[in-house]
Amino acid sequence: MAETKKTNAKKTNAKKTYKFKAELSQLLQLIAHSLYTHPEIFLRELISNSSDALNKLKFLQLTDQKVVDPEAELGIKIEIDEKKKFFSLEDTGIGMTKDELISNIGTVANSGTLKYLEKIQKEGKEVDGDFIGKFGVGFYSVFMVTEHITVETRHANPDSKAYRWESDGKGSFAVEEIDRKERGTKISFFLKEESKEFAEDYRVKSIIKKYSNFVDFPITLNKEKVNTVEALWRKPKDDIKEEELNEFYKFIAMDYNNPLGHLQLSLEGSVNFKSLLFIPEKAPFDLFRNINEEKGLHLYANRIFIQDDAKGLLPEYLKFIKGVVDTEDLPLNVSREVTQHSPVLAKIKNTITSKILAMLKDWSENDIGKYEKFFKNFGPLLKTGINSDFTNKDKILKLLRFESTVTEKGSLRSLDQYVAEMDEKQKEIYYLSGENRDIVEKNPNLEYFKKNNIEVFLFVDPVDLFILPGIQEYDGKKIVSIDKADLDIDDKKSDSEDKEELAKKPLKSLIKVFKDTLGDKIQDVVASKRLVSSPVTLVVGKDGLDPQMERMMKMMNQETIPQKKILEINPKHKLIKNLSLLNIANDKDENLRNSILQLFESAELLDGNLTDPTDFVQRMVEFMEKSTK
Ligand code: ADP
């Protein structure tokens, strides 16, 4: 923070001007000129800052520390004047010292914020007002509705002095000492013409109701109390109206939508707590990135607010859950550090986890539509629980759903459904992985399975491959990729004609020519049992890496040992039969060799692994030239 000007060097309480950090100036520019979809959220942000400040004060008082104005009621007072387009919000919270005023309201908490905003702007998207709160630029959102802000504050410490902070948000702010008796912070400003609605009584009331109805402190608007100060989670289940639940969810999750479902818990015994938990209707725009940035559950100790980001209460894979936990088992003055390693919280986490998994199981059996909606949004994250939560692995496995060859695109099947409907003689569970369903469905390796009505799971979610090592088996059956060679395919299913074909001498000779021609491009060439309508396919050796996994590792720039594959040829295919005849006539035939190379490279192309298409295209031109002669 550069101090640029001293108006009066002798007087310590004179007004001084400070420059915003470059990053913040840029951010303010963006905020003032962005098209926010919901400028009204500035009010939510101010109230939330005040509520934090009031909570901090409550703590001081619990530990009997002396504060300015000990009798002052903890609350938030809003005054508006429609005619003057004036707005002010004052709290009796902890206030700010001069240093805090300069540093807290002069920096951006999250360094990714600016980058994110710029990106969104470049892409021409509208910035959702919701992001403001999440990225810690709350206070500045006020510049959406005004051009000049005044903050007056006095810290609760009995020796504190009071200060005024002023800024037009354009590059600098000024701070001076003032005479203020009351503890706490007051923010005031005149609204821009286009934002004058925020000085209308009805409008402001409805915004408070919408976002801040459950703030733990009374909010008054021109002296009239507006919010419901109530610990909803302590009310008996039957007394809570759905409307209240929805409102509470919107408040706690900062969401515009109603939740998909909720769970109310009241436990007494080895651990005592009450809790109200919600599953959102929609996933955040990037489910995985948000794992770390997402706030945790709100934690209360005996109705006293402790923190709104208690991360230790949910496993990573359930981080999308919002809600409140209120426990009698924690001391009130518990610190953040303690909550991170508290055995009480660990116990609560275990209970919450198993209750949530039980609720999901119930949905999956009794409210399938709801469960599918849930799984489409949060399934990818839930799946990762397979690798991280050993205790609940079996429960999570039962909750997983995958695309499958027996369903339409988009509808999913469970492992239990697969096992229940598979042929008695089938010993393994089959899957095929790939980028998306359309690509995977064209894979020639599926032909045998389709022809014989054997279900194959289509693992098209990138997460599927990461969880595979954790589910090598289900219900005593191995989970096997049909991409891999040496499948335990029931031989009775391939007709006797095939078997004869496979044993014939000319085929063995053709395979030898294939091997000679392809040399070390390939691990092996074998006659295929699985192909029906395609002439050839590439498969991975028994111990080879799943091809999709290989592609992913390449994408993440991880070293992979180049995998040579096995080429399977289809003896029943007309083209292979033709090649066999050519081979009998002359095993040095140029057409034969070129066709083999062409077939191999087509298979590579289908696999997404043909690195240099020049020869492929050249050969194709030659073939066409001959056939059109
Ligand atoms: P965030 O609240 O996400 O940290 P803000 O930009 O909204 O970001 O606020 C920055 C900081 O300014 C807060 O963390 C807090 O320390 C301080 N602050 C803001 N409003 C108040 C207030 N009403 N009382 C006391 N401190 C406040």
Side-chain angles (χ1 to χ4, degrees):
M1 206 62 41
E3 199 173 300
T4 52
K5 198 170 63 179
K6 287 189 180 170
T7 44
N8 189 334
K10 279 174 208 150
K11 275 166 102 191
T12 49
N13 60 355
K15 193 167 183 169
K16 284 180 194 167
T17 309
Y18 302 79
K19 266 194 176 146
F20 283 126
K21 281 196 177 149
E23 191 190 48
L24 183 57
S25 286
Q26 222 177 326
L27 184 75
L28 288 173
Q29 278 290 85
L30 285 171
I31 288 180
H33 300 289
S34 285
L35 296 167
Y36 282 112
T37 42
H38 299 88
E40 65 193 36
I41 61 104
F42 86 88
L43 183 51
R44 179 187 74 190
E45 297 305 316
L46 288 186
I47 292 177
S48 144
N49 280 348
S50 289
S51 154
D52 286 350
L54 287 159
N55 273 316
K56 285 180 193 158
L57 188 93
K58 213 164 161 183
F59 269 129
L60 285 187
Q61 288 188 317
L62 280 172
T63 49
D64 278 338
Q65 292 189 28
K66 288 207 162 43
V67 296
V68 175
D69 264 354
E71 303 302 325
E73 194 202 1
L74 297 179
I76 300 169
K77 206 165 76 189
I78 299 173
E79 308 253 325
I80 50 178
D81 186 325
E82 196 174 343
K83 277 205 197 91
K84 294 186 185 145
K85 288 184 278 176
F86 176 77
F87 188 106
S88 80
L89 181 145
E90 182 167 14
D91 64 58
T92 47
I94 193 161
M96 282 176 268
T97 62
K98 185 178 180 186
D99 285 350
E100 283 170 347
L101 193 55
I102 293 169
S103 60
N104 292 0
I105 312 209
T107 45
V108 185
N110 186 319
S111 61
T113 313
L114 189 63
K115 280 195 201 116
Y116 176 78
L117 257 184
E118 280 175 338
K119 182 167 165 275
I120 292 227
Q121 272 219 330
K122 247 185 230 150
E123 290 167 2
K125 287 186 198 149
E126 281 197 342
V127 180
D128 189 329
D130 235 17
F131 107 96
I132 293 182
K134 287 185 183 150
F135 286 102
V137 290
F139 173 76
Y140 306 104
S141 61
V142 183
F143 281 114
M144 290 189 291
V145 299
T146 184
E147 281 169 352
H148 187 101
I149 305 178
T150 305
V151 180
E152 290 169 334
T153 186
R154 182 170 175 195
H155 194 270
N157 189 326
D159 318 325
S160 65
K161 289 176 182 159
Y163 299 91
R164 178 184 296 127
W165 178 104
E166 271 181 286
S167 175
D168 60 4
K170 294 230 166 66
S172 63
F173 60 88
V175 176
E176 68 189 308
E177 195 180 313
I178 54 166
D179 189 26
R180 178 184 158 92
K181 303 264 178 307
E182 308 81 21
R183 161 194 90 207
T185 305
K186 177 177 184 177
I187 294 169
S188 48
F189 46 87
F190 288 92
L191 292 155
K192 291 182 196 169
E193 175 60 27
E194 69 261 33
S195 304
K196 63 179 181 203
E197 62 190 286
F198 301 115
E200 288 166 21
D201 188 77
Y202 173 79
R203 181 80 173 99
V204 175
K205 225 184 251 169
S206 72
I207 302 172
I208 298 171
K209 286 256 178 220
K210 185 164 167 194
Y211 299 108
S212 314
N213 198 22
F214 294 94
V215 166
D216 291 335
F217 306 95
I219 303 173
T220 58
L221 176 63
N222 289 352
K223 305 204 164 59
E224 184 194 344
K225 183 158 166 272
V226 186
N227 63 328
T228 319
V229 183
E230 181 177 49
L232 197 64
W233 56 91
R234 290 192 161 253
K235 272 172 100 170
K237 263 183 207 179
D238 296 341
D239 294 358
I240 306 181
K241 294 193 206 83
E242 182 163 340
E243 191 51 41
E244 285 178 306
L245 278 172
N246 289 344
E247 260 181 48
F248 182 67
Y249 165 76
K250 286 178 187 170
F251 161 69
I252 208 158
M254 294 193 183
D255 196 349
Y256 300 113
N257 307 298
N258 288 335
L260 184 64
H262 80 279
L263 181 65
Q264 188 177 0
L265 299 172
S266 176
L267 280 111
E268 277 165 36
S270 70
V271 58
N272 303 288
F273 72 97
K274 290 190 164 46
S275 175
L276 195 48
L277 303 168
F278 298 90
I279 295 189
E281 157 120 34
K282 288 188 190 141
F285 104 110
D286 184 342
L287 188 59
F288 284 89
R289 199 187 78 139
N290 270 40
I291 300 180
N292 301 320
E293 287 174 5
E294 200 70 46
K295 293 194 162 181
L297 297 178
H298 292 218
L299 176 65
Y300 286 74
N302 241 333
R303 294 194 66 168
I304 306 284
F305 177 85
I306 307 284
Q307 61 184 118
D308 64 1
D309 58 349
K311 302 225 192 286
L313 286 169
L314 288 170
E316 293 269 287
Y317 67 95
L318 295 180
K319 277 283 153 73
F320 51 84
I321 287 171
K322 309 281 178 192
V324 182
V325 168
D326 187 353
T327 177
E328 287 132 48
D329 299 347
L330 278 180
L332 289 182
N333 55 354
V334 62
S335 71
R336 269 168 185 273
E337 290 68 37
V338 170
T339 61
Q340 268 169 16
H341 309 286
S342 148
V344 174
L345 293 203
K347 267 194 207 164
I348 296 179
K349 171 182 168 181
N350 290 341
T351 312
I352 288 180
T353 305
S354 62
K355 296 278 181 194
I356 289 281
L357 291 177
M359 178 176 81
L360 292 174
K361 177 165 183 276
D362 178 52
W363 289 6
S364 75
E365 288 163 1
N366 303 313
D367 195 346
I368 294 167
K370 192 176 192 172
Y371 187 71
E372 280 177 357
K373 214 172 192 180
F374 158 78
F375 196 82
K376 278 194 184 126
N377 274 307
F378 301 105
L381 191 53
L382 179 72
K383 284 176 191 169
T384 63
I386 295 288
N387 291 343
S388 57
D389 187 351
F390 203 70
T391 329
N392 292 303
K393 186 172 153 184
D394 289 343
K395 288 184 196 161
I396 302 170
L397 269 178
K398 285 192 179 295
L399 291 171
L400 300 192
R401 300 290 181 270
F402 305 100
E403 298 253 351
S404 143
T405 46
V406 305
T407 58
E408 295 288 302
K409 181 177 176 179
S411 54
L412 308 173
R413 296 259 293 173
S414 68
L415 284 157
D416 282 335
Q417 280 170 312
Y418 187 109
V419 172
E421 289 167 35
M422 72 195 242
D423 194 290
E424 264 173 39
K425 292 189 203 88
Q426 191 181 328
K427 294 180 216 94
E428 299 173 324
I429 296 172
Y430 298 116
Y431 76 87
L432 179 62
S433 70
E435 260 170 75
N436 64 51
R437 174 136 185 175
D438 294 334
I439 294 179
V440 179
E441 279 199 316
K442 291 191 190 105
N443 192 312
N445 294 347
L446 273 179
E447 288 168 4
Y448 170 87
F449 297 86
K450 279 188 189 151
K451 188 181 163 201
N452 293 295
N453 286 324
I454 303 172
E455 177 170 12
V456 178
F457 277 132
L458 303 173
F459 287 176
V460 290
D461 175 2
V463 181
D464 292 340
L465 290 170
F466 283 111
I467 62 163
L468 262 177
I471 38 168
Q472 307 214 345
E473 261 191 32
Y474 186 75
D475 199 21
K477 291 157 192 80
K478 273 196 182 156
I479 302 190
V480 197
S481 167
I482 65 160
D483 244 346
K484 293 199 177 177
D486 201 21
L487 274 180
D488 188 14
I489 291 177
D490 183 359
D491 253 353
K492 269 170 243 146
K493 289 218 161 153
S494 43
D495 36 50
S496 51
E497 189 202 332
D498 293 356
K499 267 187 248 164
E500 257 171 56
E501 199 81 53
L502 294 174
K504 274 183 190 161
K505 238 187 182 171
L507 181 63
K508 285 190 178 152
S509 157
L510 181 65
I511 287 178
K512 190 170 172 299
V513 181
F514 261 87
K515 283 186 189 165
D516 288 348
T517 311
L518 297 173
D520 62 1
K521 290 186 172 121
I522 203 108
Q523 188 189 318
D524 201 1
V525 180
V526 298
S528 180
K529 289 195 263 184
R530 73 183 97 202
L531 288 174
V532 178
S533 52
S534 300
V536 298
T537 187
L538 281 168
V539 297
V540 187
K542 203 170 186 209
D543 304 315
L545 212 52
D546 186 287
Q548 182 69 3
M549 182 75 96
E550 195 185 350
R551 237 170 284 146
M552 262 169 46
M553 287 173 77
K554 271 190 209 152
M555 253 160 43
M556 297 187 302
N557 291 326
Q558 290 207 17
E559 286 225 9
T560 52
I561 306 157
Q563 304 258 321
K564 276 189 204 161
K565 296 202 175 142
I566 297 171
L567 185 73
E568 289 196 3
I569 63 174
N570 179 0
K572 284 174 291 175
H573 197 279
K574 193 82 178 63
L575 177 57
I576 300 296
K577 284 181 181 161
N578 288 350
L579 294 183
S580 182
L581 291 175
L582 273 183
N583 179 37
I584 294 167
N586 171 15
D587 66 358
K588 300 276 174 319
D589 190 295
E590 200 194 338
N591 247 340
L592 171 63
R593 304 247 156 195
N594 277 337
S595 299
I596 291 173
L597 287 168
Q598 197 69 358
L599 275 172
F600 170 68
E601 287 188 1
S602 326
E604 279 198 310
L605 185 68
L606 280 181
D607 255 11
N609 280 328
L610 182 62
T611 38
D612 180 8
T614 352
D615 289 346
F616 179 78
V617 172
Q618 179 62 33
R619 246 181 268 116
M620 194 167 72
V621 171
E622 282 166 23
F623 279 130
M624 289 197 290
E625 209 182 298
K626 276 184 201 152
S627 68
T628 51
K629 228 188 235 167

